[in-house]
Amino acid sequence: MVTFEEIGLRPEILQAVHALGFEKPTPIQEQAIPFVLSENTDLLAFAQTGTGKTAAFSLPMLERIDAELPQIQALVLCPTRELCLQIAQDIDNFTKFLKIRTTAVYGGASIDKQIDKLKRGAHIVVGTPGRTLDLIKRKRLKLEQIQWLVLDEADEMLNMGFKQELDSILATTPKEKQTLLFSATMPKELIRIAEQYMHEPKKITVGQRNTGAKNVSHEFYVVQARDRYQALKRITDINPNIYGIVFCRTRRETKEIANKLMQDGYNADALHGDLSQAQRDHVMSRFRSRHLQILVATDVAARGLDVDDISHVINFNLPDDLEVYIHRSGRTGRAGKTGVSLIITHSREIGRIKSIERKIGKTIERKKVPTSREICEKRLLHLMDKVKEVNVNDDEIAPYLPKVYEKLESLSREDLIKHFVSFEFNRFLEYYKDAPDLNVANKRERNGRDREREGERGGRDRKRRGRVDFNRYFINLGSKDELSPKNLLSFIDSHPKLKNVEVGKIDIQKSFSFFEIDKRYESQLIEAFAEVEYGGNEIVIERSKGGRGQGGGRRDSGRKSSYKGKRRS
Ligand code: ADP
Ligand code: MG
């Protein structure tokens, strides 16, 4: 086992790496770091998402960059703004004890500010192709001196159609440089392009390639916490052929969910650490041989399980450590198959979805929990398919048929179908008869997103706000608590008494925020927040005295509410 020390990084870097909790290099780091430290040839590296590629290319560059030399020495290109910010942040963390400066340049943000930052000097620039090229064309970014060019998530950049930008950017870089290309997959197209960009690159491949992450789509469903199990059932019901793992956080929850599923007639079982080794082996082998359709498991217990064709990974709860999410979702989409990783969550956790998106560099699509009607339809059609496809053995069945026909003689074709469907299906219909919609409404949330966008563009929100009288409120939560306009809105929206209330401007600061809502809803607002707590702390809502809201004229002392206790509903 190699350590970071043995790889030969300087103390300032080691200190930063250890401060981040990295104990030893990941496999890709173990191979890439020594290579970049000692060689100048190009590198083509393949490793799955979440394997530590950022440190794999950053650390050796940091070791070699000359902080005294006031010029851009490395350019890192990546496909999205989120990744760009993430990489820049990672590098900032690695350079905590060094005088190396990093600037991120990406679209959707003020170019002037980025130009200012570049003027102040950077050793490393992390950029998206579009903005990088824009800055080059404006002569604000000069790459003639770079020694390293990193193409991170190169496959994704090509997928997104950045080939031309890459060509133009690369044309402004010196011939003598080291190009490091990182990718999770190795499509032919990429290899072809790599040959243009690189000169006899060394290839490093870690783990299986062309598998995992890229074939996985990610979805999330927002429900009230108490509706999680119902949502799980519906998701299972609408996927009659599901072959999946449901991940729970604790052994207790694992047992509970597995028991409920079994009682409700699902082909499910639990895998957790309270079972003996023999019991665990038994469950795993039933799952592997597909005698079990749904395995409910803890992360630890599922570790020993290696199954290739899992269709769904269901996060019944988000793991505390989001890293674990990557491991969970990597259990599907293997061996060239596609898979779905889905998250059942509640509005308070929406901020964490964003963090995962950043981590995996992909969007997680918000989906609606299927309605009873959709499920019934899907199941019925599935049943009909099975009926149509069934193997009819004429010879075997022939002797029985006359009596069967006789029995059914009184029924018309239509009636026969109805009876036959009901026979199979009554249990289902009964269960879903009055089943409610489990979705936490997201209409307002969508408005919120629009509003955010409008805000970004200096928008029209004043017009919308003109219709209602707003009061402005202070809340003792901010971005550090993962409060965002989106999850604030969705919380407000999820409360029955606040369902249709107009929300005005939202201003999220680091540790507190302000927002406006229709002044007529003050008491409902205070009541709604009285029912929740955040991380065991009270939530304080206070009428803001500054009253920028159009209706906030009365300068009264504001109402303070400080409450404890979980949501009661
Ligand atoms: P990739 O680019 O391969 O998808 P990242 O570089 O984003 O992966 O790293 C994924 C996560 O693993 C990050 O949270 C990072 O902080 C963490 N990480 C990277 N290297 C190590 C290490 N050696 N030990 C522990 N955690 C690590
Ligand atoms: Mg990465």
Side-chain angles (χ1 to χ4, degrees), residues 502-529:
E502 276 289 313
V503 179
K505 214 175 168 98
I506 297 178
D507 178 15
I508 307 278
Q509 302 284 329
K510 198 156 177 195
S511 50
F512 58 85
S513 307
F514 293 100
F515 62 96
E516 297 175 342
I517 77 162
D518 186 336
K519 62 192 263 191
R520 293 169 297 177
Y521 286 84
E522 176 162 296
S523 61
Q524 287 94 322
L525 175 76
I526 298 213
E527 223 177 277
F529 278 94

Side-chain angles (χ1 to χ4, degrees), residues 53-54 83 152-153:
K53 292 191 283 297
T54 312
L83 261 169
D152 191 25
E153 307 252 352

Side-chain angles (χ1 to χ4, degrees), residues 30 103 161 168 266 308 389:
E30 209 172 287
T103 296
S168 310
Y266 293 87
D308 265 349
E389 283 158 18

